[in-house]
């Protein structure tokens, strides 16, 4: 028997995790109670019964005296189901069933089923990152979903399948479970740019959006292909860089759960429906989960029929898109999730959808048309550097024989442009470019911010053309790719 046993585990809060030390010791009482101190949450308190039931079911010894379990640091609220496995192992070590030295420089996390199987935990990658940050060499995790955590160098991830297996592995009697081959996230079947007929300007806008990156708004009637194009935007983006892939995979593992934890190397595509809850969109809940906005990190967030989303939802996107992170608070503690998606919004030109249609008449009043567009606030629309119209489908357009480039061809240009863009001058020095810029600023009474964004788009266009500086034509094209969202100064005044 050991006098006291120390087991370390981690408590996730958002993507970060606190190191928790559990100290188990016998108290004087003979009541066979397990007493907990140090702010254990309800799930941890329930773990007492679950763990006891599990020990009994497996014919493992149950302490015959009262046990005090103290969680440190004491002032930090702790909760979650991943305390089952460390608790069970700690109780066994306290009774001398396991050498307590097995817990040295080791973190244990896992949920137990009543039959002793170890269930996967959410956020295994985040746990491995937290272990590495603290210089802890070994992480004992449910084998299911541990493969993604094993990708973190410097931490030895030990996969276990059951409580019995965990005991044998820690005692050196059994080998860890082989971890599943880590499947790379395959490109979601979102089609190819070559599927999109016509739509020359929106297609060009998608290429510029991918190269920037720049958020893109597509306006067009139903059937114009705007949603189809939005879905294909991800095929133009390069694979995620290592750091971004790590963040995306950690976010995914937290939201999706252990068993489906994958390594995300391709830009994710998320397309939430407008009926989604606010927490579902931006993150929140209990435990704290990333929302669609974060799950699209490094990829594409499609907001189809954007004016149909509740205005409050849309407004809550603004600050995170500006900052690249979202701050969420739960139980007085703040957590942040990274947020760097390319946003593609789509909207109809009016509530009925047929404003500007060559053959079908719009039944909306000017007031209705105006109110529809104003469901998206000006400051949010300002985040969209590109704003183009997808014309209504017409037989002529669908039959247009124009050469359609494939996603691969455009993606190669985008990848080159992303490198080239770093070398392009932030502001054009060319007199012609200046004159074009002045003309656009005056014509649309642009704010300083809008003018800056216009130059940023012109710079991307120059980079796509492998030039180091934006010229007048680039400014003009950037204007053409944004003007559908601006009102000329003279119209605004009248
Ligand atoms: Zn209409």
């Amino acid at each position: 028997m050991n006098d006291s046993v120390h087991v370390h585990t981690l408590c996730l809060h958002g993507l970060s995790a606190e190191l928790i030390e559990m100290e188990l010791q016998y108290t004087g009482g003979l009541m066979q109670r397990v007493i907990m101190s140090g702010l254990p949450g309800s799930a941890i308190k329930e773990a007492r019964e679950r763990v006891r039931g599990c020990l009994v079911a497996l014919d493992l010894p149950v302490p015959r005296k009262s046990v005090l379990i103290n969680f440190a640091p004491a002032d930090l609220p702790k909760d979650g189901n991943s305390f089952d496995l460390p608790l069970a192992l700690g109780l066994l070590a306290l009774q001398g069933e396991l050498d307590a030295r097995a817990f040295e420089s080791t973190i244990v996390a896992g949920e137990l089923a009543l039959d002793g199987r170890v269930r996967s935990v959410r956020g295994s990658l985040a746990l491995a990152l937290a272990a590495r940050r603290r210089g802890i060499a070994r992480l004992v995790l449910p084998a299911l979903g541990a493969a993604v955590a094993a990708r973190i160098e410097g931490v030895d991830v030990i996969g276990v399948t059951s409580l019995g297996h965990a005991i044998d592995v820690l005692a050196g009697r059994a080998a860890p479970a082989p971890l599943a081959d880590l499947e790379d996230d395959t490109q979601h079947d979102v089609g190819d740019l070559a599927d999109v007929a016509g739509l020359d300007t929106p297609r060009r806008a998608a290429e510029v959006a991918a190269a920037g990156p720049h958020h893109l708004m597509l306006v067009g009637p139903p059937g114009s292909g705007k949603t189809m194009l939005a879905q294909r935007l991800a095929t133009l983006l390069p694979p995620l860089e290592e750091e971004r892939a790590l963040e995306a995979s950690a976010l995914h593992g937290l939201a999706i759960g252990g068993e489906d934890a994958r390594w995300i190397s391709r830009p994710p595509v998320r397309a939430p429906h407008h009926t989604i809850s606010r927490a579902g969109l931006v993150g929140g809940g209990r435990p704290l989960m990333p929302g669609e906005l974060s799950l699209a990190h490094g990829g594409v967030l499609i907001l189809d029929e954007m004016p149909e989303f509740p205005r409050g939802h849309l407004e809550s996107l603004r600050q995170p898109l500006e900052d690249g992170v979202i701050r969420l608070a739960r139980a007085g503690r703040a957590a942040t999730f990274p947020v760097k998606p390319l946003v593609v919004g789509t909207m109809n030109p009016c509530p009925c959808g047929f404003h500007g249609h060559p053959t079908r008449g719009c039944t909306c009043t000017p007031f209705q048309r105006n109110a529809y567009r104003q469901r998206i606030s000006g400051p949010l629309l300002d985040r969209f550097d590109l704003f183009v119209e997808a014309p209504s489908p017409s037989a002529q357009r669908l039959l247009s024989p124009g050469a359609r480039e494939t996603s691969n061809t455009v993606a190669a240009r985008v990848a080159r442009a992303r490198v080239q863009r770093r070398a392009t001058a932030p502001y054009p020095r060319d007199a012609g470019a200046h004159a074009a810029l002045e003309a656009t600023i005056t014509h649309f009474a642009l704010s300083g911010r809008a003018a800056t964004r216009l130059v940023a788009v012109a710079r991307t266009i120059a980079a796509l053309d492998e030039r180091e500086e934006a010229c007048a034509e680039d400014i003009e094209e950037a204007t053409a790719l944004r003007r559908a969202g601006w009102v000329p100064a003279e119209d605004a005044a009248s």
Side-chain angles (χ1 to χ4, degrees):
M1 272 198 339
N2 290 299
D3 290 339
S4 75
V5 170
H6 296 256
V7 189
H8 288 94
T9 190
L10 289 162
C11 185
L12 276 176
H13 184 75
L15 274 186
S16 60
E18 302 284 350
L19 184 67
I20 306 292
E21 183 181 67
M22 297 166 44
E23 183 182 13
L24 300 88
Q25 59 184 50
Y26 286 116
T27 63
L30 288 166
M31 296 286 288
Q32 301 188 19
R33 288 166 60 200
V34 174
I35 304 149
M36 291 177 164
S37 67
L39 291 184
S42 54
I44 299 176
K45 287 179 185 158
E46 283 164 18
R48 274 189 297 215
E49 299 313 314
R50 205 160 43 232
V51 166
R52 178 182 285 271
C54 188
L55 294 177
V56 170
L58 296 177
D59 256 341
L60 289 163
V62 177
R64 302 194 157 274
K65 288 192 282 180
S66 290
V67 176
L68 173 68
I69 305 175
N70 182 51
F71 297 87
D75 56 347
L76 189 82
K78 305 147 195 84
D79 218 349
N81 295 331
S82 62
F83 286 72
D84 291 3
L85 184 61
L87 208 61
L89 291 170
L91 287 172
L92 290 168
L94 191 63
Q95 300 173 85
E97 297 289 315
L98 192 62
D99 190 336
R101 283 174 299 182
F103 300 126
E104 281 169 18
S105 196
T106 298
I107 286 173
V108 184
E111 184 183 342
L112 284 175
L114 279 177
D115 62 1
R117 273 179 303 118
V118 177
R119 290 201 178 119
S120 65
V121 289
R122 281 178 192 277
S124 59
L125 185 59
L127 294 174
L129 284 170
R132 182 174 70 179
R133 255 198 310 277
R134 290 175 172 82
I136 292 174
R138 206 157 68 135
L139 179 60
V140 177
L141 279 183
L144 215 53
V148 70
R151 199 166 162 129
I152 303 302
E153 284 174 22
V155 179
D156 193 10
V157 173
I158 310 282
V160 294
T161 55
S162 67
L163 178 57
H165 182 228
I167 296 166
D168 287 344
V169 169
L170 286 176
R173 290 191 297 265
L179 300 180
D181 284 337
L182 191 57
E183 279 178 51
D184 260 30
D185 189 38
T186 47
Q187 179 73 55
H188 348 264
D189 189 18
V190 288
D192 194 281
L193 196 61
D195 307 335
V196 182
L199 296 185
D200 291 345
T201 303
R203 279 169 62 114
R204 171 68 169 167
E207 177 174 342
V208 174
H214 302 286
H215 303 316
L216 168 64
M217 180 67 77
L218 294 167
V219 186
S224 58
K226 58 189 193 296
T227 304
M228 191 177 171
L229 179 62
Q231 286 163 344
R232 282 154 182 77
L233 188 56
T235 64
L236 309 183
L237 297 175
L240 301 184
E241 287 170 10
E242 184 73 11
E243 195 58 28
R244 193 57 55 84
L246 189 66
E247 292 169 344
S249 306
L251 287 162
H252 185 268
L254 198 59
I256 306 304
E259 292 175 37
D260 299 317
R262 277 174 301 157
W263 182 254
I264 309 288
S265 60
R266 296 286 319 172
V269 180
R270 308 294 298 193
H273 192 256
H274 58 74
T275 52
I276 194 172
S277 69
R278 189 176 172 279
L281 184 62
V282 300
R286 176 184 181 170
L288 209 48
M289 288 291 165
E292 294 290 327
L293 183 59
S294 285
L295 293 175
H297 183 58
V300 177
L301 178 70
I302 301 174
L303 298 174
D304 210 7
E305 306 301 349
M306 202 163 154
E308 302 297 330
F309 283 78
R311 192 172 164 122
H313 287 25
L314 294 177
E315 285 308 292
S316 57
L317 299 175
R318 239 171 73 193
Q319 201 59 45
L321 288 177
E322 189 72 16
D323 298 344
V325 296
I326 185 161
R327 291 177 188 81
L328 297 164
R330 251 219 50 77
R333 299 180 62 208
T336 61
F337 292 122
V339 169
K340 287 205 175 77
L342 198 171
V343 182
V344 189
T346 76
M347 61 194 284
N348 289 329
C350 66
C352 86
F354 294 105
H355 184 65
H357 195 281
T359 53
R360 298 190 56 169
C362 167
T363 57
C364 312
T365 63
F367 177 79
Q368 285 172 320
R369 279 199 295 272
N370 205 24
Y372 179 73
R373 211 170 248 220
Q374 284 180 356
R375 287 196 213 164
I376 308 174
S377 75
L380 182 60
L381 281 181
D382 274 352
R383 300 290 182 277
F384 290 84
D385 291 349
L386 302 162
F387 205 117
V388 296
E389 282 170 352
S392 60
S394 65
Q396 192 191 349
R397 177 166 71 78
L398 292 173
L399 292 173
S400 78
R404 297 188 209 154
E405 285 183 310
T406 63
S407 288
N408 278 345
T409 305
V410 179
R413 218 157 44 222
V414 164
R416 277 198 305 275
R418 284 193 167 207
V419 176
Q420 172 74 37
R421 198 176 186 281
R422 290 177 204 139
T424 44
Y427 287 97
R429 287 161 295 205
D430 172 67
H434 267 276
L437 184 58
E438 284 299 320
T440 300
I441 291 172
T442 309
H443 185 68
F444 293 103
L446 294 189
S447 66
R449 182 194 163 84
T452 304
R453 299 313 304 164
L454 181 70
V455 171
V457 172
R459 190 179 160 195
T460 304
I461 292 168
L464 277 166
D465 202 24
E466 299 182 59
R467 282 177 287 110
E468 288 180 0
E469 198 175 320
C471 63
E473 286 74 28
D474 300 330
I475 298 283
E476 281 155 15
E477 187 179 358
T479 302
L481 293 177
R482 183 63 177 83
R483 64 179 305 151
W486 288 332
V487 181
E490 62 221 54
D491 294 7
S494 65

